[in-house]
Amino acid sequence: MKNHTEIKALVFDVFGTIVDWRSGVAREAQSFLNRHAPGLNAFDFADAWRREYSPSMEEVRSGRRPYVRLDVLNRENLVSVLTHYGIVDVPDPEIDELNLAWHRLDPWPDAVAALCSLKRKFIIAPLSNGNIRLMVDIAKRVGLPWDAILGAEVARAYKPSPQVYSETVDILGLAPPELCLVAAHNSDLAAARQLGLTTAFVARPTEHGPHQRTDLKAEAAWDFVVDDLNELAQQLGCAD
């Protein structure tokens, strides 16, 4: 384990690490599906929508498309998924409202209390691919106590593009080891480590549902490996 005395700020992946996107999107989609596709499982719909997430961001990461915020990509992906399932003639206001499902996600049970503990000692902020308004809406709804909103819209790039991490270090006025990325995704941590950031893996083995196959465990010797954020707070000397 790395000596944590040099860490001054913690930044967090949000979708999957802080909030349970799958359950939240399925919950928000259920009434929509009851009207338009009553035979379609809401979790299957949520999974299909999420599968469009990374490919749509790769268009931006590759330079094939200029940066647009995640709300725009999510809406385009939603239209694609509706078309895939044969759900047609949905009024635009209904599509817009369903797209806001991502703004109304619930945190994992340990998240809020642990973040409040960590905030007493460290600067804490999201380092998410979600845009600023998206992050603010989630935080205000459930009480995430961020000190700042950082991530893709600030850097105008999507993780794991290097500039997302390097610009965050610069914005906070820190040396890379003084900034710790906390994430449930090994690829996110690997990109951060290449830029010299401290890394913390938190296990979220049901992010993708009961049959998850990826990110079930730490796949490298990250600086911290924990089962939940309360354990991370304890290791960093922030537990109540």
Side-chain angles (χ1 to χ4, degrees), residues 21-47:
W21 61 265
R22 186 174 188 263
S23 296
V25 171
R27 178 196 66 230
E28 293 287 324
Q30 187 63 68
S31 61
F32 175 91
L33 295 175
N34 288 344
R35 295 190 301 275
H36 295 285
L40 183 56
N41 181 278
F43 284 99
D44 291 343
F45 183 85
D47 291 338

Side-chain angles (χ1 to χ4, degrees), residues 73-110:
L73 296 181
N74 277 343
R75 193 187 190 284
E76 293 173 355
N77 296 339
L78 172 56
V79 170
S80 177
V81 171
L82 293 176
T83 301
H84 170 77
Y85 283 116
I87 303 172
V88 297
D89 299 325
V90 180
D92 281 344
E94 271 198 81
I95 295 175
D96 292 339
E97 179 62 24
L98 182 54
N99 197 42
L100 291 175
W102 295 91
H103 292 237
R104 298 189 286 258
L105 303 178
D106 294 331
W108 296 109
D110 57 299

Side-chain angles (χ1 to χ4, degrees), residues 41-231:
N41 181 278
F43 284 99
D44 291 343
F45 183 85
D47 291 338
W49 194 357
R50 175 70 178 206
R51 281 194 295 272
E52 301 295 322
Y53 179 81
S54 186
S56 67
M57 289 187 295
E58 183 57 29
E59 290 299 300
V60 176
R61 286 192 291 254
S62 69
R64 291 188 294 268
R65 179 178 187 177
Y67 175 83
V68 294
R69 62 178 62 94
L70 186 61
D71 274 343
V72 173
L73 296 181
N74 277 343
R75 193 187 190 284
E76 293 173 355
N77 296 339
L78 172 56
V79 170
S80 177
V81 171
L82 293 176
T83 301
H84 170 77
Y85 283 116
I87 303 172
V88 297
D89 299 325
V90 180
D92 281 344
E94 271 198 81
I95 295 175
D96 292 339
E97 179 62 24
L98 182 54
N99 197 42
L100 291 175
W102 295 91
H103 292 237
R104 298 189 286 258
L105 303 178
D106 294 331
W108 296 109
D110 57 299
V112 175
L115 288 175
C116 288
S117 295
L118 291 163
K119 179 184 173 77
R120 291 198 291 267
K121 185 175 180 180
F122 302 101
I123 298 168
I124 62 168
L127 188 67
S128 173
N129 283 326
N131 47 282
I132 293 170
R133 178 61 187 271
L134 175 50
M135 290 295 101
V136 169
D137 284 350
I138 291 174
K140 290 185 74 66
R141 179 177 175 271
V142 302
L144 302 178
W146 303 127
D147 292 310
I149 304 293
L150 303 173
E153 192 171 11
V154 177
R156 308 290 289 179
Y158 285 112
K159 296 186 298 179
S161 298
Q163 64 262 42
V164 181
Y165 311 96
S166 59
E167 289 189 21
T168 301
V169 169
D170 181 63
I171 287 166
L172 292 174
L174 301 175
E178 295 175 325
L179 182 62
C180 179
L181 174 67
V182 183
H185 309 121
N186 287 278
S187 60
D188 200 353
L189 296 172
R193 174 171 278 181
Q194 286 193 330
L195 275 296
L197 276 66
T198 299
T199 53
F201 176 85
V202 56
R204 299 298 192 198
T206 60
E207 175 192 352
H208 293 275
H211 306 297
Q212 182 166 319
R213 296 287 185 268
T214 60
D215 292 313
L216 295 173
K217 63 181 181 179
E219 295 171 3
W222 309 122
D223 299 301
F224 301 91
V225 175
V226 296
D227 290 328
D228 59 36
L229 292 173
N230 289 319
E231 185 181 347

Side-chain angles (χ1 to χ4, degrees), residues 10-25:
L10 301 165
V11 290
F12 297 79
D13 170 75
V14 174
F15 299 120
T17 302
I18 299 297
V19 298
D20 176 4
W21 61 265
R22 186 174 188 263
S23 296
V25 171

